[in-house]
Structure formats: C-alpha cells, structure tokens
C-alpha cells in the first residue's frame, strides 16, 4: 500500500485499554502525536469507511507491552501482591470465614474503616482485595503527597460514578495520620452520607492521631506484625512464582566449577538445603535469615529475597548473609508508637529490677538514634516514681546523668545512661510517695473548695491577725517536745495518704506469681521476705493495684 493509503485501526480492531496510538500526519511538518486509544481512533478514522484521511495514519505503540514494562519495573513486593483474599497471608482474625470483615465483604460492602498496623503487614493489599471483592471503584491517595484538592476531586468522581454506574467507590487514604485534624474533617460529610467508603491506613495509634468525629464513623481494624510462619509462606509463594515465571533469568550464570564448589559447601551444612535448583543461592539458611531480618514486614522480606535472587549463583552463603544484613536498617519512629513502646519497656524493666532487660531496651533506643536526653528525663521520673524513698540517692544520680548527657553527648553518654539504668534497676523500690500523691490528688479533686484552716493561714497584715488568721498555731521549733496542729481541712481530718515505711496494707498477695518469680529469677529459692505458711494464708489482698504513670506523656 502506498504512502497515505494505510488504514487507521478501525473500531472493530482489538486494542488494549491501556494502549496508546501514535497519530502520524504525513503532510504535516509537526512531529507525531501520542494519544489515548479511543481518542486516536476517533480522530484517525473516517465516519464512513473506517479509513482516515490519506495523510493520517494511526499506529498502536503501547498496550500489553507497555503494561508488561511497567510491571517489570516494579519491585518484587509490588509484582507479587495477592490477587484474591484466598491468597492473602496472615490476619486470619480479619480474613477468616467467620470474621466480621469477611462477613461485611460477603454482604457486598465494607463500610468506612481504619486499618492500623505496622509497615509491610498488608494494609494496602487488603484494601485492594476488598475493592475487588465488592466490585467497587478503587481510588488510592496518600496523605504524604496529596492535598485537600485531590481529596475533593476524588469525592466528586465517587459521586459521579455512583450516580452514573451505581458502583461505589473505595477511597484508600494511605498514611491518613499525616493529615491534620482540620484536613481530616473534610472526610466527615462524605463518609456520613455514604458517598465513599473510606479505608484509611495508618501506622500510628488512631486514638492519638485521628479525629474523634472521624473515628466514630469508622471501624478500626488492627493488623499485627506478620509471624515468622506468615513471612516464610510469603517467601515460598514468591519463589514458586519466580521459578515458574522465569523471573530469575537476570541472575548471573554459574560455571560448572562454581556449581561443584556450591555442592561441596552445601554438603557441609544440613541447613543449606536447596529447594529451588535454578536458584542454588537460596537455601533454607538464607530464607530463615530473611525471615528474621524482616521482623514481620512482608515488603522487607520480599525486597531481601529480590536482592538474594539477583545475586550471583556462585556467591557464598556467608557473603550473601552479610550483604542482606547490611541492607536492613532498624525501623524506629521517634514520633510514633515505637518510641513510646520502647521507653515503656525500659521503664517496666527498671521497675521489675531486671537489669538485663533494661540494658537491652536502652541499647535498642540509642542504636536506633533516640535522643539520650529523652531517656535521661524518663530516668529522673523512675528515680522518684519507682525507687522513691527506698533510696534517696537515686534522684540525684538521675539528675547527674541528665547533666552528663548534656555535657558529653553521644556516643560517650551512653555509658552514663547505662550506669544510671543499672543503678535504678538494682535499687530497692518504694512507691510510697507516688501513691501518697495520687491519693491526695483524688481527695483534692473530690472537693476543690475546702478552705484552709484559719489557724494555719498566713497573716502578714494586722487586719488578717485581727480576723484570727494564724491564731492557735503552735510553732513547732519553739518547743522541746512534739506538738500537735491540725493541718487538714476539717472535712477530711484523719485521712491518711502517706503510708508508714513497711506498711503493706492493701498490697496484694499472689502465691502463683511469687512462685513463678522464685523459679525464674531466684534460682528456685524461697524469697527472703516470704512469711511462714500459716502467715501467708492470712494475708489479705483487698486493695486495687497501683496504676503506673501514663507512659504516653510526651516530654
């Protein structure tokens, strides 16, 4: 066919939805234009014979090949996402047959919800699968890159889709906690009216990061870190896909000499079992290491697997393991739950006199980049809250530790923090002052209008003295012997807040917990404070437990 005689693709031709058309005008000096399939077909085709003007011809330049190119460029974790709920690994409490979420999906809807869980636990994948199961339009946005304009546009599109096609829209908002409270208010009317089904994903505690109004309109589903068994299942599924689809072809080839050496190396260890002959570097040892390094994060696990698969087949197991370990950076969010969970673990380890655990959590926080002053401030609190009157040297040492951290800084001040943590953990414990304040605070809140007794009021002026301020007060240093004054308001006279040293009234006795401590922490020996059997049977546990301070109070 001569120049200008080629027919453009007719509407009856099969063209992929994601194809692009190169529209060429032989008589125009301008370069070819790339248009969407439908637009180009409409412009290049004539209304009568399906042939465009002689000077125009359309070529399909995209389609399946473009889709494959985009897919091949995606990370392994993205390429291997499950395509159905049956393939979804973990979180059986959400996706199991008798779960609430599964029941909602079987009913054809999801409602608005918040998925709260750590990174790599499957929040995005689960949202996509729910949209697919309910035949909903899926719109994905991220609070890290989208603003209110994009959100409003998504709402408008969702409303139009519902009106024109009857299909609901699931708006998946990743990192929803990044929106401030006023931005979150934007969701309220649309969620309230049911125009969209919001699925918000967050790694932060929704109680602290999301509006109460938004939370009241959404269900909150908690996703935990994947277990080692879950991660191993993910890895095995991925390897089966890789070997069946030939995705390992990019790995460097292995010579016969290297193969022979690998067989010799693997025979020396029963752990280096090769389940995948085309991937000799992927042994059970490697998979176990990847599982451990991923710490319940499927995305990290698949990224490590991708690194291992692309490594030379002749690489030694030790070299590969070392490379995998260096590629993983410990996650620690200084503004999120990790920080509060670890400082809570450190505090409770000191309270429980477990110096080993205290050292571990201290090192975890410091090696992750935590501010040493934040830890030092918490140790000052520990010194009074948990050690208290049992060792009055604890508070000065904690303050000295804070000053040392200020003067010295990291990395040397880690030694000062370790010194203080060990001292606090090994010190005797007393919560008498802490409990006394809590009890007094309850009394103060019960009636904040109780007047100060007149005999202990300040009387700096003559008028106040004439009114009786300070009259009847016995100045203690004036006497060679103790004297009595009534210091509390009449309404609460006689109330006791600060217990005497050694007073265990109201403290609980749990024989099972004591035996467990004796077995695990005291080498099976009896606690030195254990009373006789007859006395222990008469001990009453009639008081509530002492509640610890709020671990989430920010410094």
């Amino acid at each position: 066919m001569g120049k200008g005689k080629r027919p453009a693709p007719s509407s009856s031709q099969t063209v992929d939805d994601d194809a692009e058309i190169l529209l060429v005008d032989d008589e125009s000096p301008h370069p070819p234009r790339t248009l969407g399939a439908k637009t180009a077909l409409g412009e290049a085709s004539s209304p009568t014979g399906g042939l465009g003007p002689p000077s125009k011809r359309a070529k399909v330049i995209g389609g399946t090949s473009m889709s494959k190119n985009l897919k091949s460029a995606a990370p392994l974790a993205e390429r291997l996402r499950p395509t159905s709920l049956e393939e979804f690994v973990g979180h059986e409490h959400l996706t199991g047959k008798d779960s609430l979420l599964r029941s909602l999906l079987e009913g054809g809807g999801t409602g608005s919800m918040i998925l709260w869980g750590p990174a790599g636990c499957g929040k995005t994948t689960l949202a996509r699968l729910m949209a697919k199961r309910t035949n909903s339009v899926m719109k994905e946005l991220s609070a890290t890159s989208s603003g209110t304009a994009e959100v409003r546009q998504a709402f408008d599109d969702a409303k139009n889709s519902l009106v024109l096609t009857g299909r609901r829209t699931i708006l998946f908002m990743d990192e929803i906690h990044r929106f401030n409270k006023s931005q979150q208010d934007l969701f309220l009317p649309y969620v309230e009216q049911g125009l969209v089904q919001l699925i918000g994903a967050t790694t932060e505690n929704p109680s602290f990061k999301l509006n109460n109004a938004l939370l009241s309109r959404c269900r909150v589903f908690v996703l935990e870190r994947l277990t080692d068994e879950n991660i191993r299942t993910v890895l095995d599924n991925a390897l089966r896909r890789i070997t069946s689809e030939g995705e390992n072809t990019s790995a460097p080839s292995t010579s016969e000499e290297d193969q022979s050496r690998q067989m010799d190396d693997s025979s020396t260890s029963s752990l280096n079992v090769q389940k995948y002959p085309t991937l000799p570097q992927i042994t059970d040892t490697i998979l176990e290491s990847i599982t451990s390094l991923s710490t319940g994060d499927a995305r990290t696990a698949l990224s490590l697997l991708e690194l291992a698969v692309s490594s030379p087949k002749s690489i030694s197991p030790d070299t590969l393991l070392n490379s995998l370990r260096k590629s993983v950076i410990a996650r620690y969010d200084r503004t999120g739950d990790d920080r509060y969970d670890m400082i809570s673990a450190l505090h409770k380890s000191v309270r429980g006199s477990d110096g080993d655990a205290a050292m571990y959590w201290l090192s975890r926080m410091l090696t992750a980049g935590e501010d040493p002053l934040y830890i030092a401030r918490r140790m000052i609190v520990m010194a009074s809250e948990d050690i208290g009157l049992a060792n009055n040297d604890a508070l000065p040492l904690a303050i000295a530790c804070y000053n040392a951290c200020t003067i010295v800084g990291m990395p040397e001040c880690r030694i000062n923090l370790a010194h203080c943590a060990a001292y606090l953990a090994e010190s005797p414990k007393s919560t008498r002052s802490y409990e006394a304040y809590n009890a007094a605070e309850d009394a103060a809140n019960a009636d904040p209008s109780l007047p100060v007794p007149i005999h202990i009021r300040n009387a700096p002026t003559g008028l106040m003295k004439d009114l009786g301020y300070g009259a009847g007060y016995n100045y203690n240093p004036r006497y060679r012997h103790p004297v009595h004054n009534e210091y509390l308001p009449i309404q609460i006279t006689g109330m006791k807040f600060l217990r005497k040293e050694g007073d265990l009234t109201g403290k609980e006795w749990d024989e099972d917990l004591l035996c467990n401590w004796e077995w695990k922490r005291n080498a099976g020996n009896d606690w030195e404070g254990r009373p006789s059997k007859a006395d222990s049977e008469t001990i009453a546990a009639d008081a509530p437990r002492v509640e610890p301070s709020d671990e989430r109070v920010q410094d």
Side-chain angles (χ1 to χ4, degrees), residues 451-453 455-456 473-474 476 483-490 493:
V452 176
H455 63 281
I456 58 174
Y473 170 65
N474 298 312
N476 303 72
V483 295
H484 174 71
N485 289 295
E486 195 61 60
Y487 301 103
L488 288 173
I490 297 175
T493 297

Side-chain angles (χ1 to χ4, degrees), residues 91-269:
H91 311 300
E92 288 79 7
H93 67 291
L94 295 180
T95 60
K97 293 183 178 180
D98 297 328
S99 65
L100 173 60
L101 183 57
R102 193 63 174 263
S103 299
L104 291 173
L105 293 175
E106 297 300 336
T110 61
S112 294
M113 66 182 68
I114 302 296
L115 300 179
W116 173 29
C121 67
K123 299 185 293 295
T124 302
T125 299
L126 183 58
R128 292 179 181 177
L129 295 178
M130 287 190 288
K132 183 177 181 180
R133 177 62 67 94
T134 58
N135 192 31
S136 301
V137 178
M138 181 71 172
K139 179 67 174 178
E140 296 186 28
L141 295 176
S142 174
T144 60
S145 58
S146 301
T148 56
E150 289 87 347
V151 175
R152 287 192 175 93
Q153 182 62 48
F155 290 149
D156 292 339
D157 294 343
K159 185 176 181 180
N160 293 335
S161 175
L162 184 61
V163 171
L164 297 175
T165 67
R167 294 179 67 192
R168 292 180 176 273
T169 296
I170 287 181
L171 174 59
F172 178 71
M173 180 56 66
D174 198 14
E175 303 289 338
I176 191 173
H177 61 274
R178 298 291 187 93
F179 274 172
N180 59 40
K181 298 300 178 69
S182 61
Q183 288 175 314
Q184 292 173 23
D185 287 339
L186 183 62
F187 296 100
L188 298 180
Y190 299 94
V191 172
E192 181 77 25
Q193 298 169 22
L195 296 178
V196 296
Q197 297 181 85
L198 173 66
I199 299 181
T202 177
T203 57
E204 303 295 338
N205 191 328
S207 301
F208 299 103
K209 297 295 185 177
L210 299 184
N211 270 343
N212 290 332
L214 183 59
L215 283 177
S216 68
R217 291 164 172 80
C218 300
R219 301 178 181 89
V220 177
F221 292 103
V222 180
L223 286 75
E224 302 291 347
R225 289 190 184 277
L226 296 177
T227 64
D228 287 350
E229 292 77 12
N230 295 149
I231 294 294
R232 189 58 186 266
T233 301
V234 170
L235 293 175
D236 289 337
N237 292 343
L239 284 168
R240 280 193 291 269
R241 289 270 298 274
I242 291 172
T243 53
S244 64
E245 296 176 5
E247 294 193 20
N248 58 301
T249 55
S250 61
S253 60
T254 308
S255 65
E256 292 183 1
E257 181 181 351
D258 291 333
Q259 291 179 359
S260 176
R261 180 166 56 85
Q262 276 191 327
M263 292 178 62
D264 293 339
D265 291 340
S266 62
S267 63
T268 61
S269 175

